[in-house]
Amino acid sequence: MKFDPLFKVLKEKSKVVDEAIFELVPEKEPKVIYDAARHYPLAGGKRVRPFIVLMATEAVGGDPEKAIYAAAAVELLHNYSLVHDDIMDMDEKRRGRPTVHKIWGINMAILAGDLLFSKVFEAIARIPTDPKKVVRVLDVISKTSNELCEGQAMDLEFESKDSVNIKEYMKMISGKTGALIDASATIGGIIGTDNEEYIQALSKYGRNIGIAFQVWDDVLDLIADEEKLGKPVGSDIRKGKKTLIVAHFLENANEEDKREFFKIFGKYAGDVQGEGIIKEDVQEEVKKAIELLKKYGSISYAAEVAKELANEAKKSLEILPDSKARRYLELLADFIVEREY
């Protein structure tokens, strides 16, 4: 399998990062807040963002051992954002497990998210490198946190808007998803080198694969095998989620097809909370909406955008010395737009 070497290294690196994460967020009193804060990290995941930190450090000739706490910091920031996103979206499941607010309530979930956020800065303070580099990492994390909030605010605004255009969507997703992966690659570069060209190349790589990741997710929601995806195909249509695919459709469809689409879009938002069973008639309506999107090439357009972004990401790495770490970063870009889940 093409991606087996990547998965092997991801697994190896995730163990190292997890040790740092659970050192920072141990089992301690008050038990309730630490249990809630540890809930998502304990659920596992590929740890893509910390992996990028470590590989970026190594790809520019640095020592990845010096980047472990930085890698933990970006994963803690990611998990903090998930806790708060789930509250805003009122999602009941995350990684196949009940969400933090579902188990511990909204108030404790907010506190658990805040604890994870504070641990980000504790992790940064432990990075064993030049203090000037630590300050720069702190600056990157602070600006990334701003972008995450701005992207989420735009996404919330989209819910009350009748339509969203391609430019608006790309700006939103650049903040909500692209910023943290950009930060992961940039921070790895900062720790590993003083070469500004290398650091900027890594930043561009991270931003592009971050956006590609979300766009490909939107595509998978409509074309993936349900068993591999782990949820019913077309969940975004039932929720009324505005994606690049929808933005392209709205910019190209005729008025009659738009009216037909909006008869279905967002109509069954309640059916995608938790693990609700989707009725056959609902599935048929969602299929009709998907056919309308296909009619205007909106799904294939988004897939092409994701692949172009991944290719741009790989091109930006060409300035770096050839190494195993660089090749793993390139392979990750391929995986992001070839995965089936």
Side-chain angles (χ1 to χ4, degrees), residues 66-320:
K66 292 184 177 180
I68 290 171
Y69 281 111
V74 298
E75 186 65 13
L76 289 165
L77 183 58
H78 175 56
N79 279 271
Y80 144 77
S81 71
L82 296 182
V83 173
H84 284 202
D85 285 0
D86 286 344
I87 293 168
M88 285 181 270
D89 295 340
M90 293 309 294
D91 285 336
E92 296 183 0
K93 291 281 184 179
R94 165 75 63 181
R95 296 171 184 164
R97 307 175 80 189
T99 50
V100 174
H101 71 267
K102 183 69 177 174
I103 299 174
W104 287 278
I106 289 174
N107 290 344
M108 190 56 66
I110 291 170
L111 281 174
D114 292 346
L115 177 64
L116 289 168
F117 190 61
S118 71
K119 291 293 181 178
V120 171
F121 301 98
E122 185 177 339
I124 292 169
R126 296 189 187 189
I127 299 172
T129 190
D130 181 343
K132 290 181 181 178
K133 286 181 180 281
V134 174
V135 171
R136 190 169 175 188
V137 169
L138 178 61
D139 184 55
V140 171
I141 285 288
S142 300
K143 288 173 179 173
T144 299
S145 300
N146 294 342
E147 277 201 79
L148 287 172
C149 293
E150 290 161 5
Q152 180 66 8
M154 287 184 72
D155 199 20
L156 287 172
E157 280 189 317
F158 287 178
E159 292 178 9
S160 60
K161 293 181 72 171
D162 291 334
S163 65
V164 170
N165 62 42
I166 290 171
K167 185 178 179 181
E168 288 173 323
Y169 177 83
M170 295 301 279
K171 182 179 179 182
M172 181 275 289
I173 214 62
S174 177
K176 187 172 178 179
T177 307
L180 187 52
I181 298 182
D182 177 345
S184 302
T186 302
I187 289 167
I190 290 168
I191 293 170
T193 186
D194 292 319
N195 186 318
E196 286 301 322
E197 283 189 308
Y198 287 179
I199 294 169
Q200 291 308 310
L202 286 164
S203 172
K204 185 177 179 184
Y205 164 85
R207 184 70 59 157
N208 280 330
I209 66 164
I211 298 170
F213 185 92
Q214 183 58 57
V215 173
W216 190 252
D217 255 11
D218 298 341
V219 171
L220 286 178
D221 182 73
L222 302 178
I223 68 167
D225 177 272
E226 289 195 357
E227 286 189 17
K228 290 181 180 177
L229 191 62
K231 63 178 181 178
V233 167
S235 293
D236 288 348
I237 290 173
R238 283 188 288 278
K239 286 181 179 179
K241 182 181 175 185
K242 297 178 180 73
T243 64
L244 180 62
I245 298 163
V246 173
H248 179 272
F249 171 78
L250 295 176
E251 288 189 15
N252 291 276
N254 63 42
E255 291 304 316
E256 182 181 349
D257 285 341
K258 286 180 188 177
R259 283 194 296 272
E260 286 302 308
F261 182 77
F262 277 115
K263 286 179 183 177
I264 304 163
F265 187 65
K267 180 179 176 182
Y268 300 103
D271 290 340
V272 290
Q273 293 296 329
E275 293 187 330
I277 296 170
I278 308 303
K279 298 175 184 176
E280 283 188 25
D281 56 339
V282 176
Q283 290 175 320
E284 287 304 312
E285 285 203 71
V286 170
K287 284 179 184 177
K288 288 178 186 176
I290 293 172
E291 288 305 313
L292 284 169
L293 296 172
K294 287 180 178 177
K295 178 180 176 179
Y296 290 92
S298 298
I299 299 173
S300 57
Y301 164 78
E304 190 59 35
V305 166
K307 288 175 181 178
E308 285 176 6
L309 287 164
N311 284 332
E312 282 298 311
K314 289 193 292 183
K315 282 181 187 176
S316 70
L317 297 179
E318 289 174 1
I319 190 176
L320 304 185

